[in-house]
Amino acid sequence: MKQSDIHTPIPPIFVINMEKSKDRREYIRAQFEAMGIQFHFFNAIDGKKLSSAELNTIDFIQAKALCGHQLSLGEVGCALSHIRIYEKCLAESIDEVIILEDDITVPEYFHTVLQAIAKRKNPHSELLYLFHGKAKTWPLYKKLPYNFKIKKVIPPSATSSRFITGTVGYYINKSGMQKLLSHAYPVRMPADYLTGFIQRSGINCYTIEPNLLALAGFDTTIDDRNYGDHLHLDHANTIS
């Protein structure tokens, strides 16, 4: 790492975690404390505990038409957790944030790579995936430490049902959060449909290649998910 990178600040890190998931919470805490990285837990919303009034704001009919399957309460809670972070950041004038889910293993060079991203900031990047299903990208790239690269994603056509999978970890700025929130309500899709339909939101999307994060292998807390173990797909997902 260059000397000039040592004091480069990185955005706040929010880790989405259900308070009852003690094993995940301690696993994340141990990793970040060992690396001296500051972060904040964001208490995940449990979709199974939403009130009748809150459930009435979810468009389950449109979800079925859009996604091709029923939207489960676990998926609703996950989607709302990401949405509420966007709302929190905009309300508190947090212009950039790193959002992580709690089923991750963080490499020892995580902070160094994030500092390099912050230092060499691309003004056009609104969302940068730190982990994702395979996406089509332009051949040009920006070099990062440890042989990582930042590449711009090629959006699918406007009428395409393809989307990028993965809300495991991403770096998003104010304009990116505003664009996603403009498509967030009524809640009618899982979290990674909202972030991954870049042709619909118009968000300028980039990726790190290879993935900076790894899945830790915990059993999913969304035990009522209706569309499979999507994060292990080798290609961008498609909605039928």
Side-chain angles (χ1 to χ4, degrees), residues 49-62:
K49 294 183 178 179
L50 294 174
S51 67
S52 297
E54 290 171 318
L55 288 174
N56 285 337
T57 68
I58 311 301
D59 195 333
F60 291 100
I61 295 175
Q62 190 176 359

Side-chain angles (χ1 to χ4, degrees), residues 83-97:
I83 291 168
R84 296 284 167 79
I85 292 180
Y86 309 152
E87 292 171 336
K88 172 182 174 66
C89 289
L90 295 180
E92 298 178 7
S93 298
I94 299 173
D95 291 339
E96 294 181 313
V97 66

Side-chain angles (χ1 to χ4, degrees), residues 87-178:
E87 292 171 336
K88 172 182 174 66
C89 289
L90 295 180
E92 298 178 7
S93 298
I94 299 173
D95 291 339
E96 294 181 313
V97 66
I98 295 164
I99 300 174
L100 306 174
E101 294 180 348
D102 61 1
D103 184 19
I104 57 170
T105 296
V106 182
E108 61 182 10
Y109 42 77
F110 183 68
H111 194 255
T112 301
V113 175
L114 290 181
Q115 284 183 312
I117 294 169
K119 181 176 177 62
R120 304 160 204 177
K121 189 177 302 180
N122 181 339
H124 303 294
S125 177
E126 294 175 312
L127 187 154
L128 172 66
Y129 279 102
L130 306 179
F131 181 100
H132 61 91
K134 187 175 181 180
K136 293 182 180 180
T137 57
W138 295 104
L140 299 177
Y141 60 86
K142 181 179 293 187
K143 290 183 178 180
L144 293 172
Y146 298 96
N147 296 316
F148 287 97
K149 303 177 181 68
I150 295 179
K151 302 183 73 174
K152 180 170 175 54
V153 175
I154 302 173
S157 67
T159 57
S160 174
S161 60
R162 294 177 67 81
F163 67 99
I164 303 168
T165 56
T167 48
V168 170
Y170 55 102
Y171 188 127
I172 188 168
N173 68 9
K174 179 180 179 180
S175 61
M177 290 184 279
Q178 289 172 329

Side-chain angles (χ1 to χ4, degrees), residues 4-67:
S4 58
D5 287 341
I6 293 176
H7 301 296
T8 302
I10 64 173
I13 298 173
F14 287 100
V15 178
I16 298 172
N17 169 263
M18 297 188 77
E19 287 187 279
K20 66 181 182 182
S21 298
K22 304 294 185 184
D23 52 347
R24 291 173 177 241
R25 182 168 287 234
E26 291 311 310
Y27 185 70
I28 289 290
R29 191 195 310 276
Q31 292 182 82
F32 281 124
E33 287 184 352
M35 291 183 280
I37 300 176
Q38 293 186 342
F39 73 102
H40 311 275
F41 281 119
F42 185 89
N43 291 329
I45 295 168
D46 188 342
K48 297 176 182 178
K49 294 183 178 179
L50 294 174
S51 67
S52 297
E54 290 171 318
L55 288 174
N56 285 337
T57 68
I58 311 301
D59 195 333
F60 291 100
I61 295 175
Q62 190 176 359
K64 179 73 179 293
L66 174 67
C67 304

